[in-house]
Amino acid sequence: MINQYVNIAINLPLDTLFTYRVPHYLIDSAETGKRVLVNFGKRALTGIIVDVTDHTSLKKVSEIKSILDETRIISDELIRFCRWVSEYYLAPIGEVLFSAIPRKFNIKSEVYYFIKEGYKDKLDSIKSDDEILVEIIRIFEKNLNTGFTKKQIEKKLKYNDLSKFLNKLYESGIISSENYYSKPTPEKIIKIVSKNFNYTDISLLIKELKLKSQKQILFLTKLSETEKFDLNQLCKELNISSSAVNSLLKKNLIKITEVRKHRDSEEIYSEDFKEINLNSDQLNALSRLNESIRENIFKAYLLYGITGSGKTEVYINAIKTSLEQGKTAIVLVPEISLTPQLIHRFKKVFGKIVGVIHSKLSDGEKLDTYDRILNGTFKIIIGARSALFAPVKNIGIIIVDEEHDTSYKQENSPRYNGRDAAIYRAMLNNAVVVLGSATPSIESYYNTDTGKYELISLPSRVMNVNLPEIRIIDLLKREKSEADEDKKDFFDSIDKVRIRFLSKELIYEIGERLLKKESIMILQNRRGYHSYLECINCSNVEMCVRCNVALTYHKAFDLLKCHYCGYSRKFNKICTACNSPNVIPKGAGTERVEEELQKIFPLAVIKRLDSDTLTSKKIYHNILKDFYDRKIDILTGTQVISKGLDFPNVTLVGVVNADIGLLNPDFRATEKTFQILTQVAGRSGRSENEGEVLIQTNHSDFYVFSDVKNHNYKNFYENELNIRKQLNYPPFSRITIIETKSEDKLLAESKIKELYNLAKQLDISNKLDILPPNPPLFSKLKDKYRYHLLIKSNKEKDISGKYLNEILRKVKNYAAKNIPQKVNVIVDVDAVNLL
């Protein structure tokens, strides 16, 4: 009999597939795209079949334990897409493929270690001077009947890899091990009750059976009026016991069946539905998209539409065309929890064929969403970057909303860019891909100049609404204008409450809008109460003990917090360096802004939106709904308030400090500033009421503010492109960051230099610009010191990118074999975060 083998991917950070033999009784069931259970070392893990073959060069091959799926759950197209992501971003194929499957959908076993009876008799077999072995044994001695996983022991001892030590204790007979299997998320099964009688007059049935229980009579009456009920809900509603129901079942008066119920997350946000007629610009954009969709050809479009130009309506109508062609759609958004309006509008139009994927779903909701994608119930998938891996078939259009947003780049493995990967998946499906933004990334707009993408513009707001007037207020240079004289009485009245970070102009305009019952949004892109604390005596800044980051003061909790690792401590008002009590706060966060605004406008209803207040999706949606319904006067917060929100009553947007992030050592710092200021400004004046925006800065002469003020993206783009070209930054090159991080600073530094020298040796054609390694801005995070090696690959010299890819692969393979495990090595292709 012919042997059959499968190459499977396992969800581990390993750049390889693993070969297993298929038992003869499973040969007919083995297909690519199915999950299998396999032994892997001491554990059992779920794998995905990527290839099926009848030969292997390996001499010793283990058998798969079982096949977990009756039908394949990953198509050939999705496997091809995942393989491309793996190769382009140098990401482990298993980690990429398992991005397409809900986490709790898989089976795995965990090895638990236990200390054995009589272990003390065998302690002589290990070296007493090996302290780490002694420490492991102490953990078990404190918990004699408790088992621990390797990770749990490593966490307790703060040690990276204890494999060899645990193996030594196991071989010495001191500890034993057992496998415990995890259970996949179960389907939700409910009981449905229906009537099993034909009486139209229920009183005749009651009389014939001589029923006396009022609850049973009411139960049967309810069933006679409706075809079927959820048994549990009906019992709760009528307060009837299970024994009373079972009595009716025994009398054959009712039928009870079990059915699967799909779990859906509650949609809290809602707004009035408006019938919208597309304007000529929207109709032109839609016509071009529809033509490509109907021709069934791959084409990439950049939909550049100013804020309020109606991009969402173009998306919706293009998707209608895709559905008419029998195709499906994927809609990517930067952060799904921040786009309740978009989801609400899609569900209003398309109903139950819209599925939403995001991290806040429960495991059960994720499973049920996944099943409905597989069976074709959901034809439109909305989600953050991971929705790109949804197993939808026959894709007609992929939309990437707010394509400029950096959150499309994943910061942990697999480190792919959802925007760029969307282009490739659309190509595999002969689909249309639409990148939409009011502030396109420099790379995407440049691609329209070179012909890689086609440009579609929406240059005006819907219903001929004007863009808001933008005023730039320099907090350092500001002089009184003639207009100030008209407001002299008001300015004099607020002198006693004047706050340094809130200009008189901004306070005045807020007051004016409150009098008119109009809504206001205030952006301060820094949370907390004070940005940092500094000692007057010694100039010490209170820093995180685990990171090279200043601690932020949060007044609500009276805590100093690190926003990177979560470390916090009480604020005792004493300098940790010199014990001086002269510690003064610097900078204002959203918490302080909210407090000061409430002091100045005590009658206004003010709410804050940042990650400190957004403890649940429900709170976020309720705040947005209340703001939409005008129950909140002023909404203040971080950049979460700038993303994809549409509130017709907002006529004033204020930016407290536009300089946050502007001076970061990042070549994209100016671009990010332009984007966030333009985006938040676009929340103002989206109806018949004129909008205004006040932007406060200490650097008003910087060219970015002139372009923001004049709504001049094209001028900003041309200036920025010229700078990028001179410095060989994207879009003229590809940027890769190689990072080392370790608790040992010298080790991290020496190993990045080792990788730098290797990369220079491998670059024999001198096509790469390899910069000497340096610590990034945040040189220490979560107890680990960090070093960056930045590589620029000019696209004219390395057109396909294969030259860079081959060198990076060799560097990564070298690191895996030669760099100690105490040092983490990360290769980030097309890096976005340089800090």
Side-chain angles (χ1 to χ4, degrees):
M1 190 174 284
I2 298 174
N3 284 324
Q4 190 177 77
Y5 302 92
V6 288
N7 294 318
I8 72 163
I10 294 174
N11 192 12
L12 292 171
L14 301 169
D15 294 314
T16 185
L17 297 174
F18 298 91
T19 303
Y20 286 80
R21 181 184 290 110
V22 181
H24 293 131
Y25 63 89
L26 290 177
I27 283 179
D28 292 339
S29 303
E31 286 183 84
T32 57
K34 284 186 176 181
R35 294 171 308 140
V36 293
L37 190 64
V38 297
N39 285 324
F40 192 85
K42 293 182 179 180
R43 296 181 292 168
L45 297 174
T46 298
I48 298 170
I49 300 176
V50 177
D51 296 309
V52 179
T53 180
D54 59 4
H55 64 276
T56 179
S57 59
L58 299 173
K59 293 181 180 179
K60 189 177 179 182
V61 183
S62 300
E63 284 191 346
I64 60 174
K65 291 167 72 70
S66 63
I67 295 176
L68 301 176
D69 303 305
E70 291 183 11
T71 58
R72 58 184 305 182
I73 61 171
I74 298 183
S75 65
D76 289 336
E77 175 265 325
L78 190 48
I79 289 175
R80 283 178 64 196
F81 171 66
C82 290
R83 280 188 141 163
W84 176 84
V85 171
S86 172
E87 289 165 10
Y88 183 86
Y89 293 102
L90 301 180
I93 181 63
E95 291 185 345
V96 178
L97 271 166
F98 276 85
S99 298
I101 299 174
R103 186 169 53 90
K104 292 289 185 75
F105 191 44
N106 300 302
I107 299 172
K108 67 176 181 179
S109 72
E110 198 77 70
V111 179
Y112 279 79
Y113 293 95
F114 298 84
I115 199 154
K116 296 175 79 171
E117 288 185 18
Y119 72 94
K120 291 182 179 179
D121 298 335
K122 299 177 181 178
L123 291 178
D124 292 339
S125 62
I126 64 170
K127 293 180 181 179
S128 58
D129 60 348
D130 204 336
E131 184 61 30
I132 193 69
L133 294 175
V134 176
E135 288 182 26
I136 293 171
I137 292 169
R138 280 184 191 143
I139 290 174
F140 286 108
E141 286 178 333
K142 291 176 183 176
N143 307 271
L144 286 174
N145 298 316
T146 305
F148 295 97
T149 65
K150 182 167 81 78
K151 280 187 178 178
Q152 288 172 336
I153 300 171
E154 286 168 351
K155 189 174 180 181
K156 285 177 180 290
L157 296 181
K158 295 182 179 179
Y159 202 94
N160 270 348
D161 187 7
L162 291 171
S163 299
K164 65 179 181 179
F165 300 107
L166 289 170
N167 286 338
K168 188 169 186 178
L169 292 173
Y170 181 84
E171 290 165 4
S172 302
I174 294 172
I175 61 173
S176 61
S177 66
E178 288 183 36
N179 272 318
Y180 288 86
Y181 286 89
S182 64
K183 293 181 180 179
T185 304
E187 298 174 352
K188 185 174 183 179
I189 304 297
I190 63 169
K191 290 181 178 181
I192 298 294
V193 61
S194 57
K195 66 180 182 180
N196 195 29
F197 52 85
N198 294 319
Y199 287 81
T200 53
D201 186 351
I202 193 69
S203 61
L204 294 176
L205 176 66
I206 293 166
K207 188 175 181 181
E208 184 180 318
L209 296 175
K210 298 178 181 178
L211 288 174
K212 295 180 180 179
S213 168
Q214 288 302 311
K215 288 184 179 179
Q216 285 185 327
I217 292 170
L218 188 56
F219 190 89
L220 293 175
T221 303
K222 279 274 190 183
L223 286 180
S224 69
E225 296 168 355
T226 309
E227 187 178 337
K228 56 187 177 181
F229 272 102
D230 180 323
L231 177 59
N232 187 46
Q233 287 183 3
L234 187 58
C235 288
K236 283 183 179 178
E237 181 186 332
L238 302 179
N239 195 25
I240 188 172
S241 66
S242 56
S243 60
V245 174
N246 287 334
S247 173
L248 295 174
L249 183 64
K250 287 175 182 177
K251 291 176 182 177
N252 210 27
L253 292 171
I254 60 174
K255 290 187 291 188
I256 296 176
T257 54
E258 289 187 341
V259 297
R260 179 179 179 182
K261 182 177 181 181
H262 288 113
R263 289 155 284 203
D264 291 301
S265 59
E266 181 187 2
E267 188 181 350
I268 302 161
Y269 184 85
S270 64
E271 64 183 28
D272 299 332
F273 182 74
K274 303 169 188 171
E275 192 67 42
I276 296 173
N277 295 316
L278 302 187
N279 62 27
S280 58
D281 293 326
Q282 291 171 307
L283 288 170
N284 174 61
L286 183 61
S287 174
R288 292 175 63 183
L289 296 177
N290 284 349
E291 185 180 353
S292 297
I293 293 168
R294 292 187 179 115
E295 288 177 359
N296 197 35
I297 58 171
F298 163 71
K299 193 165 278 190
Y301 290 95
L302 173 64
L303 181 60
Y304 165 43
I306 65 171
T307 56
S309 59
K311 293 184 288 295
T312 301
E313 293 307 316
V314 175
Y315 299 156
I316 287 172
N317 282 278
I319 289 173
K320 285 180 181 178
T321 303
S322 183
L323 295 174
E324 288 167 5
Q325 302 297 307
K327 294 179 177 292
T328 58
I330 295 176
V331 181
L332 300 184
V333 291
E335 296 174 65
I336 193 70
S337 61
L338 303 182
T339 51
Q341 286 182 323
L342 182 138
I343 295 169
H344 175 75
R345 289 173 189 176
F346 269 77
K347 287 189 173 182
K348 273 284 185 183
V349 175
F350 297 108
K352 294 185 178 180
I353 65 170
V354 177
V356 180
I357 297 175
H358 59 87
S359 59
K360 302 294 185 195
L361 294 177
S362 69
D363 291 327
E365 288 168 344
K366 287 176 184 174
L367 172 65
D368 292 344
T369 300
Y370 182 75
D371 282 350
R372 281 179 284 181
I373 295 172
L374 283 176
N375 66 28
T377 301
F378 288 154
K379 300 186 184 304
I380 303 169
I381 308 303
I382 303 176
R385 57 179 179 262
S386 62
L388 194 58
F389 293 90
V392 282
K393 297 173 183 175
N394 200 21
I395 300 169
I397 186 168
I398 299 176
I399 290 163
V400 185
D401 191 30
E402 310 290 1
E403 64 84 28
H404 65 275
D405 200 292
T406 56
S407 61
Y408 281 120
K409 184 69 160 77
Q410 182 148 303
E411 291 298 317
N412 57 318
S413 186
R415 291 176 173 79
Y416 66 95
N417 190 314
R419 177 197 64 199
D420 299 341
I423 304 291
Y424 190 80
R425 188 157 192 205
M427 189 170 67
L428 289 177
N429 285 271
N430 287 324
V432 168
V433 60
V434 182
L435 312 182
S437 178
T439 53
S441 64
I442 300 296
E443 292 89 336
S444 292
Y445 203 90
Y446 180 74
N447 282 336
T448 68
D449 285 348
T450 60
K452 188 175 180 180
Y453 303 161
E454 286 195 24
L455 177 65
I456 300 177
S457 295
L458 298 177
S460 57
R461 285 184 157 185
V462 294
M463 301 179 70
N464 296 315
V465 172
N466 293 325
L467 284 166
E469 178 192 350
I470 298 177
R471 292 161 57 192
I472 308 298
I473 298 173
D474 194 314
L475 296 177
L476 296 180
K477 302 176 184 176
R478 185 170 50 87
E479 296 177 1
K480 278 196 171 184
S481 65
E482 291 180 9
D484 287 344
E485 294 300 324
D486 298 334
K487 304 165 188 172
K488 185 176 183 301
D489 291 341
F490 175 81
F491 287 166
D492 289 342
S493 70
I494 64 167
D495 266 343
K496 58 186 176 184
V497 293
R498 182 167 184 254
I499 311 303
R500 187 178 178 187
F501 58 83
L502 293 175
S503 64
K504 289 182 179 181
E505 290 92 336
L506 181 54
I507 294 171
Y508 176 82
E509 295 299 342
I510 292 172
E512 287 290 292
R513 294 320 190 282
L514 291 174
L515 289 173
K516 295 177 184 177
K517 304 292 183 185
E518 294 172 354
S519 302
I520 302 135
M521 297 177 80
I522 303 295
L523 170 74
Q524 173 67 333
N525 203 18
R526 179 176 284 145
R527 59 193 174 99
Y529 192 81
H530 291 303
S531 305
Y532 64 98
L533 298 169
E534 185 176 355
C535 177
I536 296 176
N537 280 18
C538 68
S539 300
N540 173 62
V541 173
E542 296 300 314
M543 303 290 285
C544 174
V545 296
R546 300 184 62 205
C547 309
N548 185 25
V549 176
L551 293 169
T552 301
Y553 177 58
H554 289 253
K555 188 176 181 181
F557 309 102
D558 195 29
L559 288 175
L560 294 174
K561 286 186 176 183
C562 174
H563 291 166
Y564 288 85
C565 73
Y567 167 81
S568 65
R569 64 177 173 83
K570 278 287 183 184
F571 176 40
N572 59 11
K573 301 178 182 177
I574 300 294
C575 174
T576 53
C578 70
N579 292 321
S580 167
N582 297 320
V583 177
I584 58 171
K586 296 285 185 75
T590 50
E591 194 180 359
R592 174 94 187 276
V593 172
E594 179 191 27
E595 182 182 285
E596 297 299 342
L597 285 173
Q598 198 68 74
K599 287 179 184 175
I600 300 169
F601 304 105
L603 299 180
V605 179
I606 303 173
K607 288 290 182 182
R608 171 165 52 99
L609 270 184
D610 56 29
S611 54
D612 294 326
T613 59
L614 297 182
T615 52
S616 74
K617 184 176 68 174
K618 186 174 182 179
I619 290 174
Y620 176 72
H621 287 194
N622 283 340
I623 290 175
L624 290 189
K625 184 70 171 68
D626 287 347
F627 191 56
Y628 182 86
D629 292 337
R630 306 185 185 186
K631 295 176 183 176
I632 296 170
D633 301 310
I634 303 174
L635 184 64
T636 180
T638 54
Q639 63 179 339
V640 297
I641 68 172
S642 71
K643 297 186 179 184
L645 301 174
D646 184 2
F647 300 109
N649 197 47
V650 172
T651 59
L652 177 67
V653 167
V655 179
V656 175
N657 184 357
D659 303 335
I660 294 173
L662 179 62
L663 304 179
N664 280 342
D666 179 354
F667 73 92
R668 289 190 179 96
T670 308
E671 180 185 10
K672 290 175 183 176
T673 299
F674 178 86
Q675 287 166 346
I676 190 171
L677 294 180
T678 302
Q679 290 286 342
V680 75
R683 304 312 109 199
S684 180
R686 295 172 77 99
S687 63
E688 63 277 3
N689 294 327
E690 292 288 327
E692 188 175 17
V693 181
L694 272 65
I695 297 174
Q696 300 183 159
T697 175
N698 291 329
H699 304 278
S700 61
D701 294 337
F702 204 72
Y703 73 91
V704 69
F705 293 112
S706 172
D707 292 331
V708 170
K709 175 182 171 65
N710 296 317
H711 305 281
N712 196 340
Y713 171 81
K714 198 68 192 297
N715 190 65
F716 170 77
Y717 164 75
E718 288 169 355
N719 282 334
E720 193 69 14
L721 195 68
N722 184 46
I723 295 169
R724 301 271 184 100
K725 189 170 186 178
Q726 292 177 36
L727 299 173
N728 190 28
Y729 277 119
F732 302 100
S733 67
R734 293 172 65 198
I735 293 286
T736 299
I737 293 284
I738 299 176
E739 178 181 326
T740 58
K741 55 183 181 179
S742 173
E743 292 181 6
D744 186 329
K745 183 179 180 180
L746 294 177
L747 189 61
E749 184 179 12
S750 67
K751 293 307 171 186
I752 198 70
K753 289 178 179 176
E754 188 177 322
L755 297 178
Y756 167 74
N757 292 331
L758 174 64
K760 293 288 280 186
Q761 290 170 15
L762 292 171
D763 181 25
I764 53 176
S765 301
N766 290 319
K767 290 184 178 181
L768 305 181
D769 185 4
I770 305 173
L771 305 186
N774 278 297
L777 178 64
F778 303 119
S779 58
K780 183 186 178 187
L781 289 176
K782 299 180 181 178
D783 292 322
K784 292 191 175 180
Y785 295 93
R786 306 166 67 229
Y787 284 87
H788 277 181
L789 167 59
L790 191 146
I791 301 175
K792 292 191 258 186
S793 171
N794 189 285
K795 289 182 179 178
E796 289 183 357
K797 295 180 181 178
D798 183 20
I799 297 172
S800 68
K802 288 184 178 178
Y803 181 79
L804 171 65
N805 194 276
E806 286 173 10
I807 288 177
L808 294 177
R809 194 170 296 282
K810 288 176 182 176
V811 170
K812 191 176 181 186
N813 290 339
Y814 173 88
K817 294 175 183 176
N818 299 283
I819 302 295
Q821 289 187 336
K822 288 181 179 180
V823 180
N824 291 9
V825 177
I826 294 166
V827 178
D828 189 2
V829 176
D830 292 346
V832 169
N833 183 4
L834 307 186
L835 305 181

